[in-house]
Amino acid sequence: MAHQINSRNPGELMGISARTNDIHYGKLYAGYVAKRNEIEEKIGKIKPYELEFANQTYSKLRGLKEGETFAANGMILHQLYFSILGNGGKPAGELYKAILKQWGSWESYYNEMVAVGLTARGWAILAFDFSDMKLHIFQADAQNQGGVWGAMPLIALDVYEHAYFIDHGSNRKAYIEAFFENLNWEAIDKRYASIKTVVSK
Ligand code: FE
């Protein structure tokens, strides 16, 4: 089955306007889903003789494969981004407790996440890495760069300019602060609970 849009547009949020979310969700996120479907369809139709022209500088297959991971991660990370935004409240829950345990304090984690959000060109991502069973803040400069295989993203902070320029101009820090104000910790914990199910097996 083709990939579907499966989160929702959060609309007007504190510090993130409905206009930003309308464009971000309706055009950009939806665009990644559509492109992923288009690319997969085209890969499926590639002719056996075309595989013989595979080339790392340029080939039709190279273009499709490069686009495939960009679109797939664009879809996956935006799904996460929109599924945890809205109904903001004070940080709470199981992941919050795990953050406190690992970082020692909320401020310590928050300051690091903000800093990575300022250094990244695409995403700052809190993820659970099954290779050491720890939480990590990873930096991604593009959708298909910076991901760590097997790690599960839990909080995806989009720092591409499209996420904040309409509302904050170049003040990315103000947007990152707004992002945290709007986080839905219940939704985050639901996702975190699925890791615990895997880990306990
Ligand atoms: Fe985005």
Side-chain angles (χ1 to χ4, degrees), residues 24-25 28-29 32 74 77-78 81-82 122-123 143 158-163 175:
H24 200 177
Y25 181 92
L28 304 178
Y29 163 47
Y32 289 124
L77 292 174
H78 282 96
Y81 178 84
F82 287 114
W123 295 89
Q143 252 106 226
D158 190 339
V159 293
Y160 278 98
E161 275 90 355
H162 62 240
Y175 154 73

Side-chain angles (χ1 to χ4, degrees), residues 130-141:
F130 290 93
S131 73
D132 63 0
M133 298 297 199
K134 283 186 178 169
L135 296 164
H136 293 264
I137 298 171
F138 293 126
Q139 170 182 298
D141 282 342

Side-chain angles (χ1 to χ4, degrees), residues 128 130 133 194-201:
F128 184 86
F130 290 93
M133 298 297 199
S194 65
I195 289 176
K196 295 218 149 176
T197 314
V198 176
V199 169
S200 65
K201 277 181 183 164

Side-chain angles (χ1 to χ4, degrees), residues 46-152:
I46 205 157
K47 306 274 190 298
Y49 78 86
E50 288 177 302
L51 298 178
E52 290 171 22
F53 297 107
N55 181 284
Q56 66 172 1
T57 303
Y58 172 73
S59 62
K60 183 175 172 181
L61 185 62
R62 180 177 167 80
L64 288 167
K65 295 310 275 183
E66 198 171 14
E68 183 182 32
T69 51
F70 195 87
N73 288 335
M75 181 188 98
I76 290 163
L77 292 174
H78 282 96
Q79 269 172 3
L80 174 56
Y81 178 84
F82 287 114
S83 72
I84 59 173
L85 271 185
N87 304 321
K90 272 195 164 306
E94 292 304 308
L95 179 61
Y96 174 63
K97 283 186 207 160
I99 288 170
L100 293 187
K101 200 171 160 197
Q102 200 173 309
W103 270 269
S105 70
W106 170 252
E107 287 67 33
S108 175
Y109 160 74
Y110 179 82
N111 290 338
E112 187 180 335
M113 188 83 176
V114 171
V116 177
L118 293 173
T119 58
R121 295 172 191 152
W123 295 89
I125 295 165
L126 178 72
F128 184 86
D129 186 345
F130 290 93
S131 73
D132 63 0
M133 298 297 199
K134 283 186 178 169
L135 296 164
H136 293 264
I137 298 171
F138 293 126
Q139 170 182 298
D141 282 342
Q143 252 106 226
N144 57 349
Q145 189 276 329
V148 173
W149 292 92
M152 183 172 184

